[in-house]
Amino acid sequence: AVAIAAIYISFLAQKRNVNGSYGNSCADAYGVIVQGTLKQSGTKLNTLVEVMLSDYLVETGFTYNGKFNGMATYQGLLAMDAYQRLSAGKNAVFDLTDVEKQAISVKKPTLSASYTYTAGKQTVKVPESGFYTVSGTTSATKVGSYTVTVSLNDKTNTVWTDGSAKDLKLTWSIAKKSMSKLTYSSVSTQTYTGKSLKPSVTVKNGSKKLTAGTDYTITYSGNKSIGTAKITITGKGNYTGTKTIKFKIVPKRVTLSSVKNAKGKKLTVKWKKNTTVTGYQIQYSTSKSFKSSKTVTVSGYKNTSKTVSKLTKKKWYYVRIRGYKTVSGTKYYSSWSSAKADKIRK
C-alpha cells in the first residue's frame, strides 16, 4: 500500500496547482489520503486540507464541479479521517490495527403480542435488518401461541443492546374472538303457536359465516309463550363469550268476520274469538291506507262484536282489527287483520 501510495503521490505532484491543490475535490482527497499513508505531514498537507475545506465543503457535504456529490463526500470524509489520524500520530486510515475492536450494538426487534382470530391468515411483522435472521412461525390462521426466533448473523462482531448475543425467542398469539364482536342477522317478530319457537340466526365473522355446533351453540328461553323471548349464542372453538338476542312473540292474528252499516250512522264490527289475547283494538278510517284513523279498544277475549257510532253519512269506512295481550305491564299486539269496508247509508 505504501509503494502504491508513493507512485500515486509522484503522479499527483505533476498536477499540483499554484494554490497547492490538484484541481478537484476527488484528486485532493486522494492526495490527503496518500500523504497520510506515507506519513507526509507538513505545509503541503495542511494547505491541501485547507483548500478542500474552503473550496469544496458545503453544508450537505463535499462538491464536485461546483455541485454536491455523494462520492466526493465519501472521499472527502475519508481524507479528513486520514488527516486527523496522521495529526494524532495514529496509523494510516487503511491500517486500523491501533483501533480497539468493538462489537456493533443491534436493537432487539419486538412483535405485537396478540392478534384476534379472523378465520384468515395473520402475519406478524419483524423489523427488517441485515444483522439478524428470522425463523419460526410468522404466519398462522388458528387460535394459539407461536414462537419466532431471531438470530444474529455475526455473533462475534454484533451483540444486542443488552450486550448478549443469544437467540431471541419472541412469542405472539391469536386469541379467540368474542361473540360480541361478530355480526348477527335480525330476528323477526314471531307469532304464537303454542309450541317452542326457534327462529334462525346468521352469525358472521367478517365475510365468513359461522357454523352452529362447530363455532357456537344456541339456546332459547321464554320462546313458548307470548312476550319477549331470548336467544343465547355461546362461542365454541375459535370463539368465546356469549351474545343475547331478544325477539317478540305476539298473539295470533284475529279474523275479522264482517263490517255492516247499522241505523244511526253506525258500523257493526264482528270477529272470531281469539283465546290468545286479553283484548282487541279496532281501527277505522275513510282512507284505504288508514290515514287519520281512529281506534277503539275492546277488553276481554270473549267479546266478538262492537258497534262504532258517530260516523258520516255517504262515506265509506274501512275497518281492521288486531288482538293484544298484556304481559308484565307490556302490551304485545298481533298483526292487523285484512280490512273490510261498508258505506254509511242509514
Side-chain angles (χ1 to χ4, degrees):
V2 173
I4 295 174
I7 295 172
Y8 189 75
I9 200 67
S10 176
F11 169 76
L12 286 178
Q14 302 173 29
K15 299 181 176 294
R16 199 176 188 97
N17 297 330
V18 291
N19 66 350
S21 73
Y22 297 112
N24 60 66
S25 59
C26 293
D28 286 356
Y30 286 129
V32 174
I33 294 169
V34 168
Q35 288 182 238
T37 301
L38 297 174
K39 297 185 178 181
Q40 294 179 351
S41 61
T43 303
K44 289 184 178 181
L45 178 60
N46 294 338
T47 300
L48 197 55
V49 171
E50 289 174 3
V51 171
M52 287 190 67
L53 295 176
S54 62
D55 292 359
Y56 308 124
L57 183 63
V58 294
E59 185 175 351
T60 53
F62 285 89
T63 62
Y64 185 82
N65 289 338
K67 295 182 180 180
F68 167 77
N69 184 275
M71 180 58 71
T73 297
Y74 166 74
Q75 294 167 345
L77 293 175
L78 194 61
M80 294 304 105
D81 185 37
Y83 178 70
Q84 289 177 344
R85 290 182 64 80
L86 179 61
S87 301
K90 295 182 179 181
N91 293 349
V93 72
F94 297 117
D95 180 8
L96 301 180
T97 54
D98 59 344
V99 177
E100 182 181 354
K101 180 180 177 182
Q102 291 185 339
I104 298 172
S105 181
V106 180
K107 183 180 179 181
K108 291 182 177 181
T110 58
L111 298 178
S112 177
S114 182
Y115 294 75
T116 301
Y117 180 74
T118 63
K121 181 188 287 187
Q122 300 198 74
T123 301
V124 294
K125 294 182 179 179
V126 183
E128 295 183 359
S129 174
F131 290 113
Y132 52 73
T133 301
V134 178
S135 61
T137 305
T138 56
S139 294
T141 58
K142 297 180 179 179
V143 169
S145 296
Y146 304 94
T147 301
V148 175
T149 300
V150 184
S151 305
L152 288 169
N153 296 328
D154 183 353
K155 294 184 178 181
T156 301
N157 297 305
T158 56
V159 294
W160 300 118
T161 50
D162 62 3
S164 71
K166 293 181 179 180
D167 290 352
L168 299 181
K169 298 292 184 180
L170 306 178
T171 59
W172 64 285
S173 63
I174 298 177
K176 292 183 178 183
K177 184 140 188 187
S178 172
M179 297 301 289
S180 64
K181 302 296 183 180
L182 304 177
T183 57
Y184 299 83
S185 62
S186 59
V187 179
S188 61
T189 297
Q190 305 291 302
T191 300
Y192 175 76
T193 64
K195 299 179 181 180
S196 295
L197 297 170
K198 297 182 178 180
S200 61
V201 181
T202 299
V203 186
K204 287 186 175 182
N205 181 4
S207 61
K208 176 181 170 58
K209 183 178 178 181
L210 274 60
T211 303
T214 300
D215 299 313
Y216 63 88
T217 58
I218 186 166
T219 57
Y220 299 84
S221 59
N223 61 325
K224 196 176 179 179
S225 57
I226 294 170
T228 300
K230 292 181 180 179
I231 302 172
T232 301
I233 303 172
T234 304
K236 184 179 179 182
N238 295 311
Y239 301 91
T240 187
T242 60
K243 172 71 175 181
T244 300
I245 299 174
K246 296 180 179 181
F247 66 96
K248 290 182 179 180
I249 299 177
V250 298
K252 291 180 180 180
R253 192 180 192 193
V254 180
T255 300
L256 182 61
S257 301
S258 63
V259 174
K260 292 185 179 180
N261 178 213
K263 189 176 181 179
K265 295 183 286 185
K266 300 177 182 178
L267 281 176
T268 299
V269 182
K270 293 183 178 181
W271 61 89
K272 291 184 179 180
K273 182 172 64 176
N274 189 324
T275 59
T276 68
V277 304
T278 53
Y280 303 93
Q281 194 177 64
I282 299 169
Q283 192 176 63
Y284 61 97
S285 174
T286 56
S287 167
K288 287 184 178 181
S289 64
F290 288 89
K291 184 179 180 180
S292 301
S293 63
K294 295 183 179 180
T295 302
V296 176
T297 299
V298 180
S299 299
Y301 77 91
K302 292 182 180 181
N303 292 310
T304 57
S305 67
K306 177 69 176 177
T307 298
V308 180
S309 58
K310 298 182 180 180
L311 304 178
T312 303
K313 198 170 183 179
K314 297 183 180 181
K315 289 281 187 179
W316 277 91
Y317 281 87
Y318 299 87
V319 181
R320 61 185 181 181
I321 188 170
R322 66 179 179 179
Y324 68 86
K325 183 170 184 176
T326 304
V327 179
S328 300
T330 300
K331 285 184 177 180
Y332 293 86
Y333 293 93
S334 71
S335 59
W336 289 105
S337 68
S338 298
K340 292 183 180 293
D342 201 3
K343 186 176 182 181
I344 304 301
R345 299 181 179 84
K346 53 184 177 180

